[in-house]
Amino acid sequence: MTVIEKKPVNPIAHLSAEDIEVIGKELDAIRDRVIADRGERDAAYIRRVISTQRKLELGSRVVLLFSLFPPAWIVGTAGLTVAKILENMEVGHNVLHGQWDWMRDPKIHSTTWEWDHVSPADQWKHSHNELHHRYTNVIGKDNDLGYGIMRVDEDQRWHPIYLGQPLWNFINACFFEYGIAAYDLELGRNLRKGRHKDPQFRARARAVGRKIRRQVLKDYVLHPLLSGPSFLHTLAATFTANLLRNLWSHSVIMCGHFPEGVETFSKRSIEGETRGEWYLRQMLGSANISGSRLMHIMTGNLSFQIEHHLFPDLPSNRYQEIAPEVRALFDRYGLKYTTGSLPRQVLSAWKKVVRLSLPNRRARRRADDRSAPALAASAGA
């Protein structure tokens, strides 16, 4: 049975086991309907996005050849930033999820795609597709929840080291692709357990090193050199585009997994978990971002994180279409559909990061209560 981490109010207490399985069947029906309806309009969509992204990146690279001139730097940097966001979010992330494998196009397939990211595609697919989506928001199982570096729930034991988590979360945001590569390697855990000499770990680490070298060569050597006199300006433009892409990606992921209203689960939640219970965990362990169609595309349609977690292998362009139906299901069964604007969700997520970096309020109150008699005795003396 799905077990939510200890909270004052259990949001699923009113549901019976039969209710949960009916929810699962209704969601299966939505998924089956979309799968049966996939076709040319979906294929045309992803091909159009890929074509737009590649033209935008090429055009921006050309403009940056003249980045010595401020207007060219601004235009080229803005275009390259958007191109990198599109490639990572709407194209790379979703292609690697296998959302377009049904097209049987070897150029747009999860087994052949390599993205503009320092984490090799095969390693990311294992840590994200196989682990994160299987153990969504299960504390101790899903490292995506806090990227393996943060306290993410009041029931986790507090340690003074967590006081620094707002700072290292910000650093992680700035260099997010490198943080993801380290996370895919389970770098901290492997180093702590002395596995750095393990042949499998070393092979994976070498693969990450090769990918980093290719990315650095492309972004910080080859393209700036092509700019000739604009070398330093193109270098700065590329660094800025990568920085902004990282900050955007980090914000979108935070909004989908970390704002107030998103539930976390104990390891017991996956013991004997049924299909309906797995669906329920995705429903309560995700949050959406409201906004325009353009904003949804720029988030890789992860602004529909709830729908994505329910159906990670459906074409991303279908999430907005099925979202009203999914939300109606939430309403019908008295569940909270967590959503909000991008600024609101980012602020909520960061407030939670800061709050959980401190000891629990109830723990502080207990400490204060214990110290009160001693303080009173001291004052009387």
Side-chain angles (χ1 to χ4, degrees):
M1 178 65 182
T2 299
V3 179
I4 293 179
E5 284 294 281
K6 302 169 186 176
K7 299 291 186 298
V9 178
N10 184 345
I12 63 172
H14 61 289
L15 297 178
S16 67
E18 292 75 16
D19 289 333
I20 294 172
E21 295 315 303
V22 170
I23 289 171
K25 289 176 182 177
E26 292 196 44
L27 290 169
D28 272 338
I30 294 173
R31 181 178 185 276
D32 291 345
R33 190 182 69 245
V34 175
I35 287 178
D37 189 50
R38 291 179 307 194
E40 185 52 39
R41 72 181 175 105
D42 303 296
Y45 170 79
I46 191 60
R47 289 191 174 111
R48 185 166 62 250
V49 171
I50 292 172
S51 175
T52 300
Q53 185 277 325
R54 288 175 174 171
K55 289 174 182 175
L56 180 59
E57 179 171 2
L58 179 60
S60 300
R61 296 286 191 188
V62 170
V63 171
L64 286 174
L65 295 176
F66 310 97
S67 57
L68 186 64
F69 304 100
W73 191 91
I74 293 170
V75 171
T77 303
L80 186 59
T81 300
V82 173
K84 281 179 170 286
I85 289 173
L86 276 175
E87 198 285 331
N88 267 195
M89 305 297 286
E90 182 67 329
V91 181
H93 172 274
N94 295 331
V95 170
L96 292 177
H97 256 297
Q99 293 180 6
W100 310 99
D101 286 1
W102 57 272
M103 293 166 53
R104 302 185 187 280
D105 183 338
K107 295 181 180 179
I108 310 175
H109 200 278
S110 62
T111 60
T112 59
W113 192 271
E114 188 58 69
W115 58 346
D116 181 30
H117 202 284
V118 299
S119 183
D122 60 337
Q123 294 193 31
W124 182 86
K125 284 188 291 184
H126 171 70
S127 63
H128 186 81
N129 297 359
E130 297 177 26
L131 299 182
H132 166 58
H133 278 272
R134 179 181 178 186
Y135 300 119
T136 306
N137 284 31
V138 177
I139 294 177
K141 287 282 189 179
D142 178 14
N143 283 338
D144 256 33
L145 181 58
Y147 315 116
I149 61 173
M150 294 194 297
R151 182 173 181 246
V152 296
D153 192 273
E154 287 87 349
D155 290 323
Q156 285 180 274
R157 185 185 298 276
W158 182 83
H159 187 279
I161 195 172
Y162 289 120
L163 291 170
Q165 82 176 24
L167 173 61
W168 64 65
N169 190 47
F170 175 71
I171 295 172
N172 186 43
C174 293
F175 300 97
F176 193 44
E177 61 176 322
Y178 291 92
I180 292 298
Y183 158 70
D184 291 344
L185 275 173
E186 295 185 285
L187 187 61
R189 180 181 301 177
N190 282 315
L191 292 179
R192 281 196 307 273
K193 294 188 176 182
R195 296 174 183 164
H196 57 284
K197 293 184 179 180
D198 179 82
Q200 288 187 341
F201 173 76
R202 291 170 70 89
R204 291 166 56 218
R206 285 195 296 270
V208 172
R210 288 192 296 270
K211 188 70 189 294
I212 290 174
R213 285 195 295 273
R214 286 199 297 270
Q215 291 294 111
V216 169
L217 182 65
K218 171 177 71 75
D219 275 349
Y220 299 118
V221 179
L222 180 59
H223 287 294
L225 281 175
L226 291 174
S227 298
S230 297
F231 175 89
L232 291 178
H233 296 81
T234 299
L235 188 71
T238 305
F239 177 81
T240 302
N242 280 329
L243 174 64
L244 294 176
R245 185 269 313 275
N246 288 338
L247 290 171
W248 175 262
S249 302
H250 180 273
S251 295
V252 170
I253 301 305
M254 285 271 289
C255 288
H257 298 87
F258 215 64
E260 297 294 346
V262 172
E263 302 291 350
T264 54
F265 305 85
S266 74
K267 290 181 182 179
R268 289 176 295 158
S269 65
I270 59 174
E271 293 177 5
E273 188 176 57
T274 66
R275 177 71 167 169
E277 288 170 347
W278 180 86
Y279 270 135
L280 185 62
R281 181 155 53 85
Q282 312 311 311
M283 295 167 77
L284 300 179
S286 312
N288 283 7
I289 308 168
S290 58
S292 66
R293 179 64 184 137
L294 177 61
M295 196 276 293
H296 295 318
I297 292 173
M298 292 298 290
T299 66
N301 279 286
L302 294 182
S303 46
F304 297 102
Q305 189 73 246
I306 294 171
E307 289 71 22
H308 173 63
H309 268 269
L310 290 171
F311 312 115
D313 59 348
L314 290 188
S316 60
N317 59 307
R318 294 299 191 98
Y319 291 147
Q320 185 172 17
E321 176 185 309
I322 64 175
E325 195 172 353
V326 171
R327 186 164 190 169
L329 187 65
F330 273 73
D331 293 341
R332 209 159 57 243
Y333 285 92
L335 300 171
K336 184 180 179 183
Y337 188 88
T338 304
T339 188
S341 67
L342 182 64
R344 175 183 168 185
Q345 297 294 69
V346 168
L347 179 61
S348 175
W350 272 98
K351 284 174 66 177
K352 194 171 181 181
V353 169
V354 173
R355 175 167 60 80
L356 292 174
S357 71
L358 304 172
N360 293 349
R361 291 173 184 169
R362 59 179 179 270
R364 291 200 300 269
R365 282 199 296 269
R366 286 197 296 269
D368 291 343
D369 291 343
R370 286 194 298 270
S371 63
L375 290 172
S378 175

